[in-house]
Amino acid sequence: MSQSGKNGLTYSDAGVDIDAGNLMVEKIKPAVRSTRRPGADGEIGGFGGLFDLKAAGFTDPVLVAANDGVGTKLKIAIDANYHDTVGIDLVAMCVNDLVVQGAEPLFFLDYFATGKLDPDQGAAIVTGIAAGCRESGCALIGGETAEMPGMYSDGDYDLAGFAVGAAERGQLLPAGDISEGDVILGLSSSGVHSNGFSLVRKIVSISGLGWDAPAPFAEGKKLGEALLTPTRIYVKPLLKAIRETGALKALAHITGGGFPENIPRVLPKHLAAEIDLAAIQVPAVFSWLAKTGGVAPNEMLRTFNCGVGMIVVVAAEKAQTVTDALTAEGETVCTLGRMVARAEDGHGTIYKGTLGL
């Protein structure tokens, strides 16, 4: 007699454990609650998350939305069995994209998919997501946990994040007044952030080091832990500088594609960003990656942030004011370059000097 004929087959027999899903929801409720903010109560369990724009203090807002993932950095988290910080990366990659448009992040939703749900692993990931939400001032108002046997190998999972922010009408960035001679400031990254990890993993395999080996570039840390340093969240310092100085003309989040792909996205077509590579304090992780993998400087600049996770464009006479405002909020700021006229068939990013790898 076939299994189905016994009336005994359950969803659990097919590999999906509803009880594990319910247990995870209970485990994450305190973390979700910790992200409460005006406009959202930080409870989950409904069919949709609610947000009250008026309670958030906006009068005539324009909404800005962004979504992203963490890429193959997740594979290091899985292989090193360290899941506490990838949730911060997930939030950072989304909310940093909102703030570059002058928007305040309001709420966040996550999507977590796995082959077999481990409630403790899931709770660790969502606790990281909640930490990122608190750091950027947005509420975690909902999410989806999908257990999909056969879609993911044992232990594998994937994450996607969705963030919505708002700015008052007329206050979006980039402003229309970027001009030749404007100064470009660079804000330090915390490390590799969440891009280029397929190359990182290739270089680690060349090095022959395990994830639990001492990191050659970070004293006292294991390699996996050091590479999983979460993406820096620039939201609160930048919003404060935008509101206090009114001097920020444009921002660019330096993600995959580095300077050459990300800076021109916020520039008028007649201008180029002239970057002084010697001004960058390159973190040791990038020197190690370049040396171990034999990666050329231009390929490094096209793949990684190389030490600068965010750029800010300001008028020359406001550069010091903005630098002081950001430094007071804990950012490490360097004068990275300036705006110059773009050649007719020229690139939007021009380099001078040498990257200190």
Side-chain angles (χ1 to χ4, degrees):
M1 196 177 185
S2 73
Q3 175 79 39
S4 57
K6 292 178 183 173
N7 293 329
L9 198 61
T10 65
Y11 206 6
S12 181
D13 294 328
V16 177
D17 187 343
I18 292 171
D19 294 332
N22 291 338
L23 177 59
M24 182 180 143
V25 170
E26 286 311 307
K27 281 178 177 284
I28 65 176
K29 275 186 174 175
V32 173
R33 214 169 282 134
S34 74
T35 69
R36 280 184 173 146
R37 56 150 292 151
D41 66 4
E43 280 296 334
I44 51 169
F47 285 92
L50 305 178
F51 193 90
D52 182 345
L53 271 171
K54 196 167 274 185
F58 288 90
T59 50
D60 186 17
V62 176
L63 294 179
V64 184
N67 73 308
D68 212 335
V70 185
T72 55
K73 189 173 189 174
L74 289 181
K75 198 68 185 144
I76 298 178
I78 292 160
D79 292 346
N81 194 27
Y82 187 77
H83 311 283
D84 301 48
T85 56
V86 286
I88 299 173
D89 288 296
L90 184 68
V91 175
M93 294 303 286
C94 297
V95 296
N96 285 340
D97 279 355
L98 294 182
V99 76
V100 298
Q101 290 174 263
E104 174 190 336
L106 301 176
F107 60 85
F108 191 87
L109 300 108
D110 70 282
Y111 174 80
F112 166 53
T114 184
K116 180 158 183 57
L117 183 60
D118 172 343
D120 289 326
Q121 181 198 63
I125 292 163
V126 176
T127 299
I129 292 171
C133 286
R134 288 194 304 273
E135 197 180 327
S136 54
C138 66
L140 180 56
I141 65 166
E144 166 71 357
T145 301
E147 191 174 22
M148 301 197 284
M151 283 287 287
Y152 295 91
S153 300
D154 255 8
D156 279 354
Y157 61 84
D158 200 7
L159 289 177
F162 309 85
V164 173
E168 292 293 356
R169 195 176 303 277
Q171 291 182 5
L172 290 166
L173 296 176
D177 60 346
I178 303 170
S179 54
E180 217 174 313
D182 282 351
V183 168
I184 302 165
L185 304 173
L187 307 189
S188 290
S189 68
S190 56
V192 188
H193 285 185
S194 299
N195 301 102
F197 272 88
S198 295
L199 181 55
V200 170
R201 285 167 52 242
K202 180 97 177 149
I203 292 167
V204 170
S205 74
I206 290 167
S207 79
L209 294 172
W211 300 118
D212 56 355
F217 51 85
E219 207 176 322
K221 287 190 175 177
K222 293 177 179 176
L223 180 60
E225 179 197 0
L227 289 171
L228 287 168
T229 300
T231 306
R232 189 165 180 81
I233 293 175
Y234 299 97
V235 170
K236 287 183 178 176
L238 284 172
L239 287 176
K240 202 156 192 282
I242 287 167
R243 288 161 182 169
E244 281 183 3
T245 70
L248 284 73
K249 292 187 175 188
L251 298 164
H253 184 200
I254 307 303
T255 54
F259 294 144
E261 297 297 326
N262 289 292
I263 297 176
R265 292 165 69 176
V266 298
L267 301 184
K269 296 285 179 244
H270 67 284
L271 292 176
E274 183 186 77
I275 303 293
D276 177 10
L277 297 177
I280 301 170
Q281 289 281 354
V282 181
V285 60
F286 295 110
S287 304
W288 181 78
L289 289 167
K291 189 177 172 190
T292 309
V295 187
N298 266 18
E299 187 64 18
M300 290 294 294
L301 286 162
R302 209 176 66 154
T303 308
F304 300 114
N305 66 64
C306 292
V308 175
M310 184 72 70
I311 68 118
V312 183
V313 180
V314 292
E317 65 274 12
K318 293 291 175 91
Q320 195 57 54
T321 305
V322 172
T323 298
D324 292 346
L326 290 167
T327 304
E329 292 303 307
E331 294 302 329
T332 304
V333 187
C334 71
T335 303
L336 196 57
R338 62 195 181 101
M339 286 297 154
V340 296
R342 192 189 303 201
E344 194 136 324
D345 54 352
H347 291 290
T349 310
I350 306 162
Y351 300 131
K352 66 175 197 176
T354 309
L355 192 64
L357 289 166

